[in-house]
Amino acid sequence: MLKDYPVKFNKEEIPEPIKWDEEFDNVENVIQSEAGTDVVIVNRYGKLSVEAQFDCSSRWAAKFAAYRDAGAIDVESYDIKTGGYKKRKMRIRKFKSSVVEKSYRTKGTNGLYRIRFILEEY
């Protein structure tokens, strides 16, 4: 699916992820009425959060770190409901990076990096 619809950050196509797990939540408030019953008010349906993981070059690791430091990212990804791209305003949370073991020995590179983070929709 992602090969046909690559993910884009600020209109730039990013490398294919190793892991891309989407979770959709409803944002709701629960209040109690005078009669003691719960009243649920749904403020928003389908708020997206994505757990992502990449193995990438040091150049892409630096780009992902720059996206992490940005206040917001325009993310275009495949939407199962519409069957096409959907643009969302998101931010990166819980960013982790590590060098893949012994990859620094690969000539002409600064090593390969394993990048993990959670994308959270505003």
Side-chain angles (χ1 to χ4, degrees), residues 6-15 59-60 63-64 67 73-76:
V7 179
K8 298 176 184 178
F9 285 8
N10 294 340
K11 297 183 182 179
E12 180 178 25
E13 190 175 312
I14 63 172
R59 183 176 69 87
W60 267 103
K63 284 186 178 188
F64 282 126
Y67 287 128
I73 308 166
D74 289 326
V75 177
E76 294 177 63

PDB file of all heavy atoms in Angstrom, residues 6-15 59-60 63-64 67 73-76:
ATOM      1  N   PRO A   6       3.389   6.698  -1.409  1.00  0.00           N
ATOM      2  CA  PRO A   6       4.444   7.018  -0.447  1.00  0.00           C
ATOM      3  C   PRO A   6       4.039   8.187   0.452  1.00  0.00           C
ATOM      4  O   PRO A   6       3.322   9.089   0.025  1.00  0.00           O
ATOM      5  CB  PRO A   6       5.638   7.381  -1.325  1.00  0.00           C
ATOM      6  CG  PRO A   6       5.068   7.692  -2.662  1.00  0.00           C
ATOM      7  CD  PRO A   6       3.783   6.948  -2.779  1.00  0.00           C
ATOM      8  N   VAL A   7       4.509   8.151   1.677  1.00  0.00           N
ATOM      9  CA  VAL A   7       4.207   9.202   2.646  1.00  0.00           C
ATOM     10  C   VAL A   7       5.066  10.422   2.333  1.00  0.00           C
ATOM     11  O   VAL A   7       6.229  10.300   1.950  1.00  0.00           O
ATOM     12  CB  VAL A   7       4.477   8.695   4.082  1.00  0.00           C
ATOM     13  CG1 VAL A   7       4.189   9.784   5.097  1.00  0.00           C
ATOM     14  CG2 VAL A   7       3.639   7.456   4.369  1.00  0.00           C
ATOM     15  N   LYS A   8       4.479  11.601   2.514  1.00  0.00           N
ATOM     16  CA  LYS A   8       5.195  12.853   2.247  1.00  0.00           C
ATOM     17  C   LYS A   8       5.138  13.742   3.481  1.00  0.00           C
ATOM     18  O   LYS A   8       4.086  13.887   4.091  1.00  0.00           O
ATOM     19  CB  LYS A   8       4.575  13.586   1.059  1.00  0.00           C
ATOM     20  CG  LYS A   8       4.660  12.796  -0.233  1.00  0.00           C
ATOM     21  CD  LYS A   8       3.956  13.505  -1.357  1.00  0.00           C
ATOM     22  CE  LYS A   8       3.981  12.644  -2.610  1.00  0.00           C
ATOM     23  NZ  LYS A   8       3.259  13.269  -3.715  1.00  0.00           N
ATOM     24  N   PHE A   9       6.289  14.310   3.827  1.00  0.00           N
ATOM     25  CA  PHE A   9       6.391  15.314   4.885  1.00  0.00           C
ATOM     26  C   PHE A   9       6.670  16.644   4.196  1.00  0.00           C
ATOM     27  O   PHE A   9       7.682  16.774   3.500  1.00  0.00           O
ATOM     28  CB  PHE A   9       7.537  15.011   5.843  1.00  0.00           C
ATOM     29  CG  PHE A   9       7.293  13.896   6.818  1.00  0.00           C
ATOM     30  CD1 PHE A   9       6.188  13.074   6.752  1.00  0.00           C
ATOM     31  CD2 PHE A   9       8.199  13.661   7.835  1.00  0.00           C
ATOM     32  CE1 PHE A   9       5.973  12.049   7.663  1.00  0.00           C
ATOM     33  CE2 PHE A   9       8.004  12.643   8.753  1.00  0.00           C
ATOM     34  CZ  PHE A   9       6.896  11.845   8.666  1.00  0.00           C
ATOM     35  N   ASN A  10       5.806  17.624   4.371  1.00  0.00           N
ATOM     36  CA  ASN A  10       5.960  18.938   3.732  1.00  0.00           C
ATOM     37  C   ASN A  10       6.250  18.785   2.239  1.00  0.00           C
ATOM     38  O   ASN A  10       7.193  19.380   1.712  1.00  0.00           O
ATOM     39  CB  ASN A  10       7.039  19.766   4.421  1.00  0.00           C
ATOM     40  CG  ASN A  10       6.661  20.150   5.828  1.00  0.00           C
ATOM     41  OD1 ASN A  10       5.493  20.141   6.197  1.00  0.00           O
ATOM     42  ND2 ASN A  10       7.649  20.478   6.634  1.00  0.00           N
ATOM     43  N   LYS A  11       5.485  17.933   1.572  1.00  0.00           N
ATOM     44  CA  LYS A  11       5.550  17.671   0.131  1.00  0.00           C
ATOM     45  C   LYS A  11       6.804  16.905  -0.303  1.00  0.00           C
ATOM     46  O   LYS A  11       7.020  16.693  -1.483  1.00  0.00           O
ATOM     47  CB  LYS A  11       5.410  18.959  -0.681  1.00  0.00           C
ATOM     48  CG  LYS A  11       4.080  19.640  -0.489  1.00  0.00           C
ATOM     49  CD  LYS A  11       3.952  20.857  -1.356  1.00  0.00           C
ATOM     50  CE  LYS A  11       2.609  21.529  -1.085  1.00  0.00           C
ATOM     51  NZ  LYS A  11       2.434  22.734  -1.870  1.00  0.00           N
ATOM     52  N   GLU A  12       7.657  16.488   0.631  1.00  0.00           N
ATOM     53  CA  GLU A  12       8.858  15.723   0.311  1.00  0.00           C
ATOM     54  C   GLU A  12       8.609  14.245   0.616  1.00  0.00           C
ATOM     55  O   GLU A  12       8.236  13.892   1.732  1.00  0.00           O
ATOM     56  CB  GLU A  12      10.049  16.227   1.138  1.00  0.00           C
ATOM     57  CG  GLU A  12      11.328  15.482   0.855  1.00  0.00           C
ATOM     58  CD  GLU A  12      12.499  16.027   1.639  1.00  0.00           C
ATOM     59  OE1 GLU A  12      12.309  16.633   2.706  1.00  0.00           O
ATOM     60  OE2 GLU A  12      13.627  15.817   1.175  1.00  0.00           O
ATOM     61  N   GLU A  13       8.828  13.405  -0.384  1.00  0.00           N
ATOM     62  CA  GLU A  13       8.618  11.970  -0.208  1.00  0.00           C
ATOM     63  C   GLU A  13       9.692  11.415   0.730  1.00  0.00           C
ATOM     64  O   GLU A  13      10.883  11.648   0.526  1.00  0.00           O
ATOM     65  CB  GLU A  13       8.694  11.281  -1.569  1.00  0.00           C
ATOM     66  CG  GLU A  13       8.255   9.850  -1.550  1.00  0.00           C
ATOM     67  CD  GLU A  13       8.230   9.245  -2.937  1.00  0.00           C
ATOM     68  OE1 GLU A  13       7.663   9.880  -3.855  1.00  0.00           O
ATOM     69  OE2 GLU A  13       8.787   8.151  -3.096  1.00  0.00           O
ATOM     70  N   ILE A  14       9.264  10.710   1.762  1.00  0.00           N
ATOM     71  CA  ILE A  14      10.199  10.149   2.733  1.00  0.00           C
ATOM     72  C   ILE A  14      10.499   8.694   2.371  1.00  0.00           C
ATOM     73  O   ILE A  14       9.779   8.085   1.586  1.00  0.00           O
ATOM     74  CB  ILE A  14       9.652  10.256   4.177  1.00  0.00           C
ATOM     75  CG1 ILE A  14       8.369   9.441   4.348  1.00  0.00           C
ATOM     76  CG2 ILE A  14       9.440  11.713   4.564  1.00  0.00           C
ATOM     77  CD1 ILE A  14       7.892   9.338   5.779  1.00  0.00           C
ATOM     78  N   PRO A  15      11.589   8.126   2.926  1.00  0.00           N
ATOM     79  CA  PRO A  15      11.894   6.720   2.636  1.00  0.00           C
ATOM     80  C   PRO A  15      10.770   5.800   3.098  1.00  0.00           C
ATOM     81  O   PRO A  15       9.987   6.149   3.984  1.00  0.00           O
ATOM     82  CB  PRO A  15      13.169   6.455   3.447  1.00  0.00           C
ATOM     83  CG  PRO A  15      13.732   7.780   3.784  1.00  0.00           C
ATOM     84  CD  PRO A  15      12.587   8.738   3.799  1.00  0.00           C
ATOM     85  N   ARG A  59      21.966  11.227   6.352  1.00  0.00           N
ATOM     86  CA  ARG A  59      21.321  12.419   5.772  1.00  0.00           C
ATOM     87  C   ARG A  59      19.832  12.437   6.111  1.00  0.00           C
ATOM     88  O   ARG A  59      19.290  13.462   6.522  1.00  0.00           O
ATOM     89  CB  ARG A  59      21.531  12.432   4.253  1.00  0.00           C
ATOM     90  CG  ARG A  59      20.966  13.644   3.549  1.00  0.00           C
ATOM     91  CD  ARG A  59      21.298  13.632   2.060  1.00  0.00           C
ATOM     92  NE  ARG A  59      20.599  12.593   1.329  1.00  0.00           N
ATOM     93  CZ  ARG A  59      19.376  12.744   0.805  1.00  0.00           C
ATOM     94  NH1 ARG A  59      18.731  13.877   0.937  1.00  0.00           N
ATOM     95  NH2 ARG A  59      18.807  11.758   0.146  1.00  0.00           N
ATOM     96  N   TRP A  60      19.161  11.280   5.975  1.00  0.00           N
ATOM     97  CA  TRP A  60      17.744  11.224   6.311  1.00  0.00           C
ATOM     98  C   TRP A  60      17.518  11.283   7.817  1.00  0.00           C
ATOM     99  O   TRP A  60      16.517  11.830   8.278  1.00  0.00           O
ATOM    100  CB  TRP A  60      17.075   9.982   5.701  1.00  0.00           C
ATOM    101  CG  TRP A  60      16.488  10.316   4.379  1.00  0.00           C
ATOM    102  CD1 TRP A  60      16.978  10.024   3.150  1.00  0.00           C
ATOM    103  CD2 TRP A  60      15.312  11.093   4.160  1.00  0.00           C
ATOM    104  NE1 TRP A  60      16.174  10.557   2.180  1.00  0.00           N
ATOM    105  CE2 TRP A  60      15.141  11.217   2.778  1.00  0.00           C
ATOM    106  CE3 TRP A  60      14.383  11.693   4.990  1.00  0.00           C
ATOM    107  CZ2 TRP A  60      14.083  11.907   2.202  1.00  0.00           C
ATOM    108  CZ3 TRP A  60      13.328  12.387   4.426  1.00  0.00           C
ATOM    109  CH2 TRP A  60      13.184  12.489   3.055  1.00  0.00           C
ATOM    110  N   LYS A  63      17.379  14.838   8.540  1.00  0.00           N
ATOM    111  CA  LYS A  63      16.116  15.430   8.093  1.00  0.00           C
ATOM    112  C   LYS A  63      14.985  15.110   9.061  1.00  0.00           C
ATOM    113  O   LYS A  63      14.176  15.974   9.394  1.00  0.00           O
ATOM    114  CB  LYS A  63      15.743  14.929   6.694  1.00  0.00           C
ATOM    115  CG  LYS A  63      16.535  15.568   5.583  1.00  0.00           C
ATOM    116  CD  LYS A  63      15.991  15.118   4.249  1.00  0.00           C
ATOM    117  CE  LYS A  63      16.739  15.783   3.116  1.00  0.00           C
ATOM    118  NZ  LYS A  63      16.110  15.507   1.822  1.00  0.00           N
ATOM    119  N   PHE A  64      14.929  13.843   9.535  1.00  0.00           N
ATOM    120  CA  PHE A  64      13.897  13.485  10.498  1.00  0.00           C
ATOM    121  C   PHE A  64      14.072  14.279  11.796  1.00  0.00           C
ATOM    122  O   PHE A  64      13.092  14.693  12.414  1.00  0.00           O
ATOM    123  CB  PHE A  64      13.905  11.982  10.790  1.00  0.00           C
ATOM    124  CG  PHE A  64      13.259  11.151   9.723  1.00  0.00           C
ATOM    125  CD1 PHE A  64      13.935  10.097   9.135  1.00  0.00           C
ATOM    126  CD2 PHE A  64      11.956  11.402   9.299  1.00  0.00           C
ATOM    127  CE1 PHE A  64      13.339   9.316   8.159  1.00  0.00           C
ATOM    128  CE2 PHE A  64      11.345  10.634   8.321  1.00  0.00           C
ATOM    129  CZ  PHE A  64      12.048   9.591   7.745  1.00  0.00           C
ATOM    130  N   TYR A  67      12.582  17.633  11.188  1.00  0.00           N
ATOM    131  CA  TYR A  67      11.116  17.546  11.261  1.00  0.00           C
ATOM    132  C   TYR A  67      10.654  17.460  12.710  1.00  0.00           C
ATOM    133  O   TYR A  67       9.624  18.016  13.085  1.00  0.00           O
ATOM    134  CB  TYR A  67      10.592  16.342  10.483  1.00  0.00           C
ATOM    135  CG  TYR A  67      10.643  16.490   8.981  1.00  0.00           C
ATOM    136  CD1 TYR A  67      11.237  15.510   8.196  1.00  0.00           C
ATOM    137  CD2 TYR A  67      10.088  17.594   8.339  1.00  0.00           C
ATOM    138  CE1 TYR A  67      11.275  15.638   6.812  1.00  0.00           C
ATOM    139  CE2 TYR A  67      10.129  17.722   6.965  1.00  0.00           C
ATOM    140  CZ  TYR A  67      10.727  16.741   6.205  1.00  0.00           C
ATOM    141  OH  TYR A  67      10.757  16.868   4.840  1.00  0.00           O
ATOM    142  N   ILE A  73       4.168  19.566  10.948  1.00  0.00           N
ATOM    143  CA  ILE A  73       4.525  19.015   9.647  1.00  0.00           C
ATOM    144  C   ILE A  73       3.225  18.756   8.885  1.00  0.00           C
ATOM    145  O   ILE A  73       2.269  18.249   9.455  1.00  0.00           O
ATOM    146  CB  ILE A  73       5.264  17.675   9.787  1.00  0.00           C
ATOM    147  CG1 ILE A  73       6.447  17.781  10.732  1.00  0.00           C
ATOM    148  CG2 ILE A  73       5.726  17.153   8.438  1.00  0.00           C
ATOM    149  CD1 ILE A  73       6.986  16.421  11.139  1.00  0.00           C
ATOM    150  N   ASP A  74       3.227  19.092   7.596  1.00  0.00           N
ATOM    151  CA  ASP A  74       2.117  18.689   6.730  1.00  0.00           C
ATOM    152  C   ASP A  74       2.422  17.283   6.240  1.00  0.00           C
ATOM    153  O   ASP A  74       3.381  17.075   5.495  1.00  0.00           O
ATOM    154  CB  ASP A  74       1.975  19.637   5.536  1.00  0.00           C
ATOM    155  CG  ASP A  74       1.451  20.999   5.942  1.00  0.00           C
ATOM    156  OD1 ASP A  74       0.639  21.054   6.888  1.00  0.00           O
ATOM    157  OD2 ASP A  74       1.855  21.994   5.318  1.00  0.00           O
ATOM    158  N   VAL A  75       1.628  16.306   6.670  1.00  0.00           N
ATOM    159  CA  VAL A  75       1.844  14.905   6.320  1.00  0.00           C
ATOM    160  C   VAL A  75       0.757  14.477   5.348  1.00  0.00           C
ATOM    161  O   VAL A  75      -0.430  14.623   5.643  1.00  0.00           O
ATOM    162  CB  VAL A  75       1.839  14.000   7.571  1.00  0.00           C
ATOM    163  CG1 VAL A  75       1.990  12.542   7.183  1.00  0.00           C
ATOM    164  CG2 VAL A  75       2.937  14.419   8.539  1.00  0.00           C
ATOM    165  N   GLU A  76       1.184  13.963   4.203  1.00  0.00           N
ATOM    166  CA  GLU A  76       0.252  13.393   3.230  1.00  0.00           C
ATOM    167  C   GLU A  76       0.441  11.885   3.264  1.00  0.00           C
ATOM    168  O   GLU A  76       1.546  11.394   3.050  1.00  0.00           O
ATOM    169  CB  GLU A  76       0.541  13.919   1.834  1.00  0.00           C
ATOM    170  CG  GLU A  76       0.289  15.398   1.678  1.00  0.00           C
ATOM    171  CD  GLU A  76       0.664  15.895   0.300  1.00  0.00           C
ATOM    172  OE1 GLU A  76       0.036  15.445  -0.681  1.00  0.00           O
ATOM    173  OE2 GLU A  76       1.594  16.703   0.214  1.00  0.00           O
TER     174      GLU A  76
END
